[in-house]
């Protein structure tokens, strides 16, 4: 699903990577949510929960290109937030700032505010 939705970027995840997410201490199966249209998975959201900080994190949000601009992403985010409010103190999102799918617009529509931007840097050895 992720690879089919991020064809506009260099993102390419493996099944092993997705499985590895289920083995972390922040894995929160209640917030791995799919949206279906006529029996087809049209979008999904993957969220984590850090019980030490009380933080819920929307890590992956994706909608297949043919189903975009129909409110599916907003519905997924709002559904995840509704579930997370039962145990999380706050929620954050991750994503690319200059993404053609404009995730910031979706998150703001769902109530996120602020202008904090985290930059992730890595060094290849």
């Amino acid at each position: 699903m992720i690879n089919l939705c991020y064809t506009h970027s260099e993102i390419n995840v493996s099944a092993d990577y997705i499985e590895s997410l289920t083995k972390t201490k922040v894995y929160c199966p209640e917030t791995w949510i799919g949206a279906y249209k006529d029996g087809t998975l049209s979008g999904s959201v993957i969220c984590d929960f850090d019980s030490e900080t009380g933080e819920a994190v929307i890590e992956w949000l994706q909608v297949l290109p043919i189903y975009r601009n129909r409110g599916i992403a907003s519905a997924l985010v709002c559904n995840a937030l509704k579930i997370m409010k039962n145990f999380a103190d706050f929620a954050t999102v991750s994503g690319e700032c200059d993404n053609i799918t404009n995730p910031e617009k979706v998150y703001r529509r769902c109530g996120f505010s602020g202008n904090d931007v985290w930059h992730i840097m890595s060094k290849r050895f």
Side-chain angles (χ1 to χ4, degrees):
M1 170 56 99
I2 292 172
N3 293 340
L4 292 173
C5 295
Y6 285 88
T7 56
H8 59 279
S9 72
E10 295 181 18
I11 291 174
N12 188 358
V13 299
S14 67
D16 289 340
Y17 167 76
I18 298 299
E19 184 178 350
S20 75
L21 297 178
T22 69
K23 298 179 181 0
T24 66
K25 69 177 188 168
V26 295
Y27 173 57
C28 186
E30 303 92 329
T31 58
W32 285 44
I33 304 166
Y36 292 83
K37 174 71 174 156
D38 299 325
T40 300
L41 183 62
S42 58
S44 62
V45 65
I46 295 176
C47 306
D48 291 332
F49 173 64
D50 185 338
S51 60
E52 289 181 32
T53 62
E55 177 187 17
V57 183
I58 299 175
E59 290 287 354
W60 288 99
L61 173 63
Q62 51 277 326
V63 175
L64 289 171
I66 62 170
Y67 294 108
R68 290 185 185 150
N69 300 309
R70 299 182 188 189
I72 294 170
S74 296
L76 286 164
V77 170
C78 288
N79 193 14
L81 290 171
K82 182 178 178 183
I83 293 167
M84 292 186 289
K85 77 176 184 177
N86 295 315
F87 48 82
D89 296 325
F90 65 102
T92 59
V93 298
S94 67
E96 297 174 331
C97 292
D98 298 319
N99 185 314
I100 64 167
T101 62
N102 199 359
E104 181 179 356
K105 182 178 176 184
V106 173
Y107 294 132
R108 293 208 183 274
R109 191 178 307 132
C110 295
F112 283 88
S113 61
N115 295 306
D116 298 326
V117 176
W118 292 84
H119 296 275
I120 299 173
M121 300 160 113
S122 62
K123 182 177 180 180
R124 295 186 181 173
F125 295 96

